[in-house]
Amino acid sequence: MLLPQTLAAPFVGLVLVVLFVAFVREWLKPDVAAMAAVAVLLASGVLSARDVVGVFGNSAPITIACLFIISGALSRTGCVDTLGEWLSAAAGGSERKLLFALIAASLLVSPFINNTPVVMVMIPAVIAVASRSGLAPSRLLIPLSYATIMGGLVTLVGTSTNILVDGVARTQGLAPFTMFEISLPAMLMALVGSTFMLIFAPRLLPVRETLTQQFTGSGDRWFMTELFVPEGSHLAGKSLREARLSNGTIQVLNLVRGETERHSPDPATRIEVGDRIVVRSRSNAMMELRSTDLVGLQAQPGADPHELETLRRRDVVMVEAIVGQTSRYIQRPICDLDLLARYGIHLIAVHRRDASFSQIGDDFQLSGGDVLLVEGTPAQIKRFCDNGDLFAITEGRQLASRRHKAPVALGTIAGVMLLAALNVMPIEGLALIGAVAVIVTGCITSDEAYKSIEWPILTLIFAMLAISVGMRNSGLDTLLAGQLATLGDGLSPWMMLSLVILITSLATEALSNNAIAVLFTPVVIGLAQHMGVDPRPFVVGVMFAASCSFATPIGYQTNTLVYSAGNYRFSDFARLGVPMNLITWLLCSVLIPLFWPFHP
């Protein structure tokens, strides 16, 4: 070690503080910031190259990656889409009935499928049902996220946090958790939390307009039309504004002249014979333009000439699409994407956190969780989303096309769960077999399987595991455990457990749940050993508290997804989330010692 041993623990602590600030201030993407911290610890000698390579032997990230693939197969075969169809049938136009059906469906599926794909697939169904029923999606999407979080606690594979805490605990010498060891207390928590949401969500959650409603309102459908300037047109030499093609109600998106192409040309641009002009307008504006005899169909021999001829007209839809955390569009300038030329679509607006942008410069860079409002034909938008790992959340989304493979995907996840519960094989082996099975049987292609893995999450997990080793090498974990024990000197094990749950829950609201799980698990194990009690209840406390992130939209990935899709404000989560956090804190404090005694 390059540093003296006496300075190692303070140095690692300083690196963690800087890392946490980087998470909160978003200086870098979380996975990049964590890897930078690993590089610093490696350069300082706190970590050796063998230490870093050794974390790849942890079974938890491999298990999580395989379960991502199985979850992707369940999505691609329409298993979750079926829940959306059932949701539509069960709603009956009542907000209370729809909320009940939504929570029930989320609790049913999230113990067996990773939370993120469940929420990604359910968001469009919720928005569609709410629109048909005249309800605000913002009254439903936060409960969707919360219900999947609570459902994910029910099994070991329900959320990556559970698997990760189990993996870290194993490296510390604890016995592995069984598949359903945490199920009963988690189900009690889910029952209480769901009841609270059913009663209070309609009273506490606001009505927010979606991005589509903000920028388009109700009114006529939009159309894109490609116009041609023929020989003899009296518009030649006039500006786009003078030709009434750029007057607010009609917008020029593209002008092609010979080999050159101009996107969103200036209204003062002069028209020339042979120009091809792509315009966007509502149907009533185009009908008004047609009534002036400026625009006609392609000229026929002997027919009266028109000033402009219609080459193509396409019915277009406006679709909201979420930028996924693994999207290749992240941190790329809009001008590099060349949306109109490459995909034939037009970007209208972007929503990020509490702000919406309609004036988007060429250097504007997208971030994970952004919602794009785009327009084009359904086929064009699907190609755009598929190429860039986006997910359409309003009309235009294509349903799964491999529904005949659904029994195979369902049988695979059921087999993994059952065999793991019977201890036939460790969960990591079963998950690997299951992932291979859904690929070989055609439930999901190999390319789709790679895309379904949340690589930034895995990178973050590996980095935090390495940082955890650095904490152990420097003695920081033991130091923190001793300080925590000193802080709670005189407290009973039950009160100390309650304090650990509260601290973990608060930390998760501002930072990544997986990062907190990795760092806090070895610390609470050391704390329990220092107190002379069984570490298992403290590990379960971290497992539950690191997932129960309700008060902010940044502590858990599903919260971030609905934050953008529902056009929420940051404070909207606190209205329902703070009471939910208090409820889960109290329930965890009471239930965990009943199922995992401090002195077995």
Side-chain angles (χ1 to χ4, degrees):
M1 183 180 295
L2 300 179
L3 289 172
Q5 185 63 41
T6 54
L7 296 178
F11 178 76
V12 175
L14 177 62
V15 170
L16 283 176
V17 170
V18 174
L19 177 61
F20 290 160
V21 173
F23 282 168
V24 174
R25 300 296 298 272
E26 298 182 344
W27 291 338
L28 296 169
K29 293 173 61 179
D31 53 315
V32 176
M35 288 303 297
V38 172
V40 170
L41 296 181
L42 189 60
S44 67
V46 174
L47 285 175
S48 67
R50 178 169 300 191
D51 289 330
V52 176
V53 173
V55 302
F56 290 94
N58 192 298
S59 62
I62 305 302
T63 306
I64 293 167
C66 293
L67 289 172
F68 274 137
I69 294 174
I70 298 174
S71 295
L74 289 165
S75 176
R76 297 282 179 173
T77 55
C79 296
V80 186
D81 280 325
T82 303
L83 279 177
E85 295 167 2
W86 172 81
L87 191 66
S88 179
S94 165
E95 184 178 73
R96 190 78 64 175
K97 287 183 180 179
L98 179 55
L99 183 60
F100 176 81
L102 175 64
I103 292 173
S106 302
L107 291 176
L108 177 67
V109 71
S110 53
F112 312 106
I113 308 177
N114 184 267
N115 294 348
T116 302
V118 171
V119 172
M120 292 281 276
V121 174
M122 290 291 283
I123 284 175
V126 171
I127 292 177
V129 174
S131 299
R132 287 196 297 268
S133 305
L135 304 172
S138 60
R139 310 265 281 183
L140 303 165
L141 291 178
I142 283 180
L144 166 65
S145 177
Y146 291 179
T148 58
I149 289 173
M150 291 187 296
L153 296 176
V154 172
T155 66
L156 184 63
V157 300
T159 174
S160 58
T161 307
N162 292 356
I163 302 171
L164 195 53
V165 171
D166 174 60
V168 175
R170 286 194 213 183
T171 63
Q172 300 287 318
L174 268 68
F177 284 84
T178 60
M179 179 62 65
F180 300 107
E181 182 176 344
I182 57 178
S183 297
L184 189 52
M187 285 190 289
L188 292 174
M189 290 168 57
L191 178 62
V192 175
S194 299
T195 303
F196 176 81
M197 284 196 294
L198 284 171
I199 296 172
F200 291 100
R203 304 177 186 180
L204 297 176
L205 293 179
V207 174
R208 301 276 185 231
E209 286 186 325
T210 64
L211 196 59
T212 303
Q213 292 168 333
Q214 280 188 338
F215 282 88
T216 66
S218 46
D220 295 334
R221 292 178 62 86
W222 286 85
F223 294 93
M224 277 189 197
T225 305
E226 186 173 357
L227 303 173
F228 176 72
V229 183
E231 288 285 349
S233 172
H234 292 90
L235 296 182
K238 293 185 177 181
S239 68
L240 293 172
R241 183 185 292 110
E242 292 169 343
R244 288 183 288 176
L245 294 178
S246 186
N247 58 5
T249 57
I250 299 176
Q251 301 172 7
V252 178
L253 303 180
N254 207 25
L255 188 149
V256 179
R257 179 175 297 165
E259 298 297 323
T260 64
E261 186 173 2
R262 303 181 190 179
H263 302 307
S264 300
D266 189 278
T269 301
R270 298 290 174 178
I271 297 173
E272 295 182 7
V273 171
D275 285 350
R276 287 184 292 132
I277 307 169
V278 180
V279 300
R280 167 182 175 269
S281 68
R282 291 194 185 274
S283 58
N284 55 2
M286 184 54 66
M287 291 301 293
E288 182 181 343
L289 188 62
R290 284 177 176 276
S291 68
T292 64
D293 273 346
L294 283 175
V295 178
L297 299 174
Q298 289 182 331
Q300 300 296 326
D304 292 334
H306 290 277
E307 306 298 348
L308 298 168
E309 295 175 1
T310 303
L311 296 181
R312 289 181 299 172
R313 193 185 79 174
R314 298 169 290 166
D315 290 6
V316 297
V317 294
M318 287 193 180
V319 175
E320 295 176 37
I322 290 182
V323 180
Q325 299 297 322
T326 59
S327 172
R328 67 187 187 91
Y329 297 150
I330 290 178
Q331 293 186 342
R332 290 183 60 187
I334 288 292
C335 60
D336 286 356
L337 303 184
D338 205 9
L339 302 183
L340 194 59
R342 187 175 300 171
Y343 302 103
I345 66 172
H346 182 57
L347 177 63
I348 299 172
V350 177
H351 179 76
R352 175 179 299 166
R353 300 290 172 90
D354 291 338
S356 296
F357 308 93
S358 57
Q359 301 299 320
I360 303 169
D362 286 346
D363 57 349
F364 185 92
Q365 293 187 350
L366 298 176
S367 298
D370 284 353
V371 173
L372 312 183
L373 181 62
V374 296
E375 67 174 357
T377 65
Q380 290 170 329
I381 291 175
K382 181 180 185 301
R383 185 163 65 92
F384 170 63
C385 291
D386 288 347
N387 287 350
D389 296 324
L390 309 185
F391 198 86
I393 59 176
T394 51
E395 66 171 304
R397 189 173 63 96
Q398 302 288 322
L399 293 177
S401 59
R402 304 187 197 119
R403 290 182 177 249
H404 63 288
K405 298 282 189 179
V408 178
L410 288 171
T412 300
I413 189 63
V416 169
M417 301 284 290
L418 178 62
L419 295 176
L422 296 175
N423 290 321
V424 173
M425 185 185 292
I427 182 63
E428 55 267 27
L430 293 169
L432 178 61
I433 293 171
V436 172
V438 294
I439 296 173
V440 170
T441 56
C443 297
I444 187 171
T445 67
S446 58
D447 287 343
E448 291 168 346
Y450 283 118
K451 285 185 177 181
S452 67
I453 298 174
E454 299 281 354
W455 294 105
I457 292 179
L458 290 187
T459 303
L460 175 64
I461 288 172
F462 279 122
M464 297 310 298
L465 287 171
I467 293 172
S468 178
V469 174
M471 290 174 61
R472 185 171 66 245
N473 290 350
S474 66
L476 180 62
D477 57 346
T478 304
L479 179 63
L480 290 176
Q483 291 295 323
L484 193 56
T486 303
L487 177 66
D489 187 31
L491 296 180
S492 66
W494 177 84
M495 294 181 68
M496 182 60 76
L497 172 64
S498 183
L499 180 62
V500 164
I501 294 169
L502 178 62
I503 293 173
T504 306
S505 179
L506 292 175
T508 301
E509 295 296 352
L511 304 168
S512 164
N513 57 310
N514 286 325
I516 292 300
V518 172
L519 295 182
F520 278 33
T521 299
V523 172
V524 299
I525 290 175
L527 171 64
Q529 293 170 343
H530 190 276
M531 297 177 64
V533 297
D534 187 2
R536 209 166 189 81
F538 288 86
V539 171
V540 176
V542 170
M543 185 182 289
F544 284 172
S547 289
C548 291
S549 172
F550 304 116
T552 71
I554 60 176
Y556 206 89
Q557 193 172 19
T558 58
N559 285 354
T560 305
L561 291 174
V562 300
Y563 181 24
S564 301
N567 201 15
Y568 290 109
R569 295 174 184 169
F570 199 95
S571 59
D572 292 339
F573 283 80
R575 296 185 184 187
L576 190 65
V578 170
M580 286 286 292
N581 271 12
L582 293 174
I583 288 171
T584 52
W585 171 47
L586 293 174
L587 286 174
C588 285
S589 300
V590 172
L591 292 174
I592 289 176
L594 296 179
F595 289 88
W596 295 274
F598 295 111
H599 301 283

